[in-house]
Structure formats: structure tokens, C-alpha cells
Amino acid sequence: MLDFYFKDIVSWIKSDKRKSTWTTIYKHWEENGSREYLFCVLFPEKLIDEFVEHASWSLNITNLRPDYAHYSEKDPEYYRWGIESEYEPIIYQQFYNNIFPTKFEIVEEFLQFFNLYFDNKNNSYISVDITSEQNEVVKIVRHKDNIEIKVKTHFLRQFLFAKKLVLGFQMDYFRESDRTLSEQNLNESMLFDEFAQLYNFNICFKDYSSMDRCNSDSRLLAKAILVGYESHNIQTDYERLNSGTCEDFIVDVNNENGDFIYESCNKSEFEETKYGYYTSIFFKREVLLKYYNSPNTYTIEDGSLYMKGSWRLYLDNNNYEFVSAYLGDLKMLPHFEQLYWKSFNIEPQSEVDKRRFNIDFLSSYYDPEIEDLKFKNEYIRVNKLFLKKFGFNLFSEFDENDVHCFKTLRLPLKNEAAELDVLILNLCKVLIDYLNVKSINTFLTSEQKELRSIEKLEIFLEINNLKNFEKIIAFYKTLQKLRSTGSAHRKNSDYKKFLLSLGFENSDEKGIFKALLKDAINILKNISTQLEY
């Protein structure tokens, strides 16, 4: 049974609203004998006493839109919100006489102030700051004809501080009951109310036992206030980007006692110190997992990690055991990213290898040695050569929802079956599912077009006189069987027997996928080499 005394709402009205993570700024919700209407307005602090003086609403959302105010004694005058008042909305309504759906919008000033992007999938607004970090600021909840709009309180209070305004809540809530008032020891003359500096509410009751509807209801009419921050550290984008703390990282080991020696990443390329800008800092390879798991935001390439629209960290990821970056380069990471990298920081492993030295200081280029980077290079290379030779790519362009399958292909970061399954599925997708069957079909007879993609590839390679095509097809069939017996289906004895037949009986997950990538690289190289001549 619904609480006729609105204890939950009254508790919130009396609470310190600054402590809430989310603040509802608009609500129109009718469900299961309850009706909740909430509408917020903005106004100067000097009007707080006037606003909370009575519980009835000061303004309704339907009254606020750019329009003329009409007077009997003078000419109509245009106002931004159609009224001559210091009150203004944070949510406004666009009503189309029920010909089109009514819209509820957040004022553009708020959206622009935080540079908010509307996410259609989640029905929310996302902020994107100077470092490309994302934060959900507004949530819009819909159910049938009901709507509730919530704003993250921290952002809302920043806006109030900037505007030098306060937020006023106006509430009109109803709760129905099948019981009469007398059955609840209540009557229509009873009134519960309370008035304080920052809120005002009253609860009254109505009996409908003589009507064809619920037997009774209670009504809460209320107002409350949320204030902005008293002060706020106002910074430009440049100041926010460059005012962060610079973390210390391990640069050496004390030969006397074995303690780690730390140095701040706040370095200049022109500063001459023992541990300068180009001191190599080392990290466990698992540091990259976070970025592989968000391929729409981050791109990991040979020698760099890039966050879309923001920073790029140059690194050496051409090693099986660790990744490294220069001490001074770590400064360009936002502070929370520095803290993340610091949690994977390990002691120095070796001097800068020859390949990295030549790339960074001699402007020379050497192909990567680690399998995942080599595979991606060969994949792109064979596509270019195929296009030059046959007029089409061997592998079709990735669908935007599948790009991650290629971007996240890597040597496993952990020896876990789950990670191996995902990597095998992705390898199968980029090598098998993205075979350019449509173009290959142009070389085949009508009967051959009914075959499966690997069989079509076999015929195509044979009629175009590519050598060792049997080995290529054998690898494709191996990959397909790994997917069908293990990664894509329930594992059984057939999967284990197949791994044994491939010589993986003594291999861990890292070793298995490393071997598969080596075979894939050799297959792609085989094709590329033949196409070059």
C-alpha cells in the first residue's frame, strides 16, 4: 500500500540535496495509483524567501517559451521566456497540440556549458572534456508516457555557481488508495505542513467514496532549494590540461639496498639530469588491457597508444614481457592515467633496444618483431597487393561494429581460456568471415558460387596459379575447426584431441595464440610474396 504521508519524499525534501549524486530536475510519472509531477526553475538567491513562502507552484513548464508578454495598459513586449520575471527554466516544453509528440528539452546554455553530446542508445547526455574523457551528465528515463530527467549534482552545482542562481524544486504528488479516509483515521480537514528556510510542504487528503474511482487520495505540494557551489576553481582548458600532478616512476634500482629509485615525469627534453626525459620506464604488458577493451576510444599501433581526439603516448610495445615509454612522455597523460600506468610500473628491464633507438633517434624504420604487430602489417600489405593485382581487396572493409575485432587482435595478456576464445573468434572473423567473397565470386562458375567461403578461396588461388595454396587452405581449415570445436561452441574431447594434433599439448594460452599468429603471418607473407612478382 502506498504511504499516504509521503515519508520518503518528505525525508528527501528535508535532506541536504548537495550530497545526492543525481538530482531530478523534471518528472511526469503516473503509475500504480501514484502521480508525480516535478518541475524546477532557476532564480537569484534573493528570491528564495519569496519562492518558499508558499508550497504552491510559482511557475508551470507550459508557461515558459520565447513570446510576447501582453498588457492591457501598454504594448506587448518580447521576453526570452515570455514573462517579465527573474525566474527561468532549466527544462522547457514544446507542445504541438497533440499532433506531434510533446518534447521536453534541457536549456541549450546548460548543454553548451558542459559541451554535452546526446547518446541516442542510452538516452543520456555525455560530457567530453579537453582530454576526451567522457562523463554521463544527464539521464532521461522514459516508460510509456512517463519521463524523468536527472542531472549529476556536481555538474548542476557548477552551472548554478556560474549563473549565480539557485535551483527551486516544485512538487505536486498524489497517492491513491482503495480505502476510505475514515478507514485510515483521516479526514479532509486534516493538513500536515512544515515550513523552513529552504523548503515548504503540505499534505492534504481527499475522499472519493461517493464517486466511481479510488476511495481516497493524499496530495503533497512542496518546494525545496538546491544551491550552487560557494566557490569554484575556474580554469581554461589549457590550465586544466597542464595543472595536473606529475607522478613519480621507477627509473633505477639502488645497487646498495635494492630499493627502487623514483623520478617525476615532469621533465623537459632540454633538461640535463641523471634521469632525464628519455629515461625508459617499464610496465607490465597488462597495462594495455584497458585500452584494448575500449577500441572505439583507444587505438594501439606499433609504437603508440592514441586516445581519440586527445593524447598520444609513444611507447615500445614490441616486446613479449613488457612495454616501455620515455619518462618525459608520460607527462602528457592526464593524472588519473598516470596513476593507472604507475600501478603496472616495474623495475628497468634493459637498455633501449636497437629497433627503438633507430626509430626514435635515427628516423629509420624497422618492421616489428612481435607477432600481433607483424600480423596487422601483413594483413594490410596483402590487401594492397591484392588490389593492385586483381582489382579488389582480399579482405572486405570492416563493418564499423567489427573494426574492434582487428584493432584488439594481440598476443594474450594473460593465460586464460576466456581471452584465448575471444582472440581466436576475432582472428577467424578477420581472416575467414571478411574474405571478399563477393569479388571472388566473379571468378567462379554458378555451381562454385554455392560453395563455402574457404572452398571458394581454394578455387580462386588455384585458377590464379598461386603456389602452395594447399598450405593456405589447410591453415584456414585448422582455424575454422578451432572455432567450431572450441571458441564458438561447448568444448569437449574433440577440442582437446584437435589441440594435441596441432602439437599444443604442452602449450599455454599465450603459446597457442602466438603459434596461430605465426602461421597466419606466414600464410599472408606467402600470398604477398607471390603477388609482388
Side-chain angles (χ1 to χ4, degrees), residues 296 395-407 429-430 433-434:
N296 291 333
F395 304 106
S396 301
E397 185 176 345
F398 293 115
D399 181 273
E400 62 179 8
N401 294 316
D402 278 335
V403 173
H404 68 91
C405 297
F406 182 76
K407 291 178 67 175
K429 183 170 282 190
V430 302
D433 298 347
Y434 271 92

Side-chain angles (χ1 to χ4, degrees), residues 393-523:
N393 292 325
L394 174 59
F395 304 106
S396 301
E397 185 176 345
F398 293 115
D399 181 273
E400 62 179 8
N401 294 316
D402 278 335
V403 173
H404 68 91
C405 297
F406 182 76
K407 291 178 67 175
T408 60
L409 266 178
R410 62 185 184 274
L411 291 173
L413 298 175
K414 297 181 179 180
N415 275 313
E416 294 182 356
E419 186 179 11
L420 178 62
D421 282 348
V422 171
L423 291 173
I424 288 176
L425 288 172
N426 286 348
L427 185 61
C428 289
K429 183 170 282 190
V430 302
L431 285 176
I432 299 174
D433 298 347
Y434 271 92
L435 279 171
N436 193 347
V437 174
K438 182 178 179 181
S439 296
I440 291 174
N441 278 341
T442 62
F443 291 77
L444 308 180
T445 66
S446 56
E447 292 81 8
Q448 292 170 337
K449 291 178 182 177
E450 300 301 319
L451 299 172
R452 295 182 177 179
S453 58
I454 295 177
E455 295 170 321
K456 291 179 180 181
L457 176 63
E458 181 176 10
I459 295 170
F460 176 85
L461 295 176
E462 184 175 8
I463 63 178
N464 283 283
N465 301 315
L466 267 76
K467 300 175 182 179
N468 300 318
F469 71 87
E470 298 91 348
K471 291 183 178 180
I472 298 171
I473 299 305
F475 171 75
Y476 263 85
K477 289 181 178 178
T478 296
L479 204 56
Q480 181 72 294
K481 191 169 182 179
L482 273 175
R483 173 164 66 175
S484 60
T485 60
S487 298
H489 299 94
R490 175 182 173 181
K491 293 179 176 64
N492 53 34
S493 58
D494 291 339
Y495 177 71
K496 294 179 180 178
K497 290 177 182 177
F498 188 53
L499 288 179
L500 288 173
S501 71
L502 296 174
F504 293 148
E505 64 270 18
N506 296 318
S507 299
D508 57 17
E509 284 78 7
K510 288 184 178 181
I512 290 172
F513 198 71
K514 181 178 179 181
L516 288 174
L517 277 181
K518 279 185 175 180
D519 288 343
I521 292 165
N522 289 334
I523 292 302

Side-chain angles (χ1 to χ4, degrees), residues 16 24 93 105 115 130 135 161 206 251 266 268 285 293 308 317 322 346 362 375 382 393 407 428 435 481:
D16 185 348
T24 297
Q93 171 187 281
E105 303 285 354
N115 192 32
I130 189 64
N135 203 319
F161 172 83
K206 189 74 175 177
V251 293
N266 188 16
S268 166
R285 280 190 64 84
N293 287 339
K308 186 186 295 183
N317 53 343
F322 55 79
I346 57 177
L362 302 181
F375 171 81
V382 78
N393 292 325
K407 291 178 67 175
C428 289
L435 279 171
K481 191 169 182 179

Side-chain angles (χ1 to χ4, degrees), residues 64-124:
L64 298 167
R65 65 185 180 89
D67 202 352
Y68 288 93
H70 294 269
Y71 306 95
S72 58
E73 70 282 1
K74 60 180 181 179
D75 293 337
E77 189 170 346
Y78 176 83
Y79 291 97
R80 182 184 178 191
W81 295 108
I83 56 173
E84 187 178 2
S85 172
E86 292 186 83
Y87 290 86
E88 59 182 270
I90 190 168
I91 296 287
Y92 63 92
Q93 171 187 281
Q94 290 181 286
F95 178 66
Y96 306 102
N97 293 345
N98 294 321
I99 297 174
F100 304 110
T102 301
K103 293 169 61 179
F104 299 92
E105 303 285 354
I106 300 174
V107 291
E108 189 68 20
E109 185 178 5
F110 184 86
L111 302 181
Q112 293 291 336
F113 185 76
F114 293 111
N115 192 32
L116 300 186
Y117 167 79
F118 185 66
D119 180 359
N120 286 287
K121 290 183 179 179
N122 297 305
N123 216 21
S124 62

Side-chain angles (χ1 to χ4, degrees), residues 239-246 335 338:
E239 288 171 335
R240 278 196 292 269
L241 191 61
N242 292 278
S243 63
T245 304
C246 289
H335 184 238
Q338 292 180 31

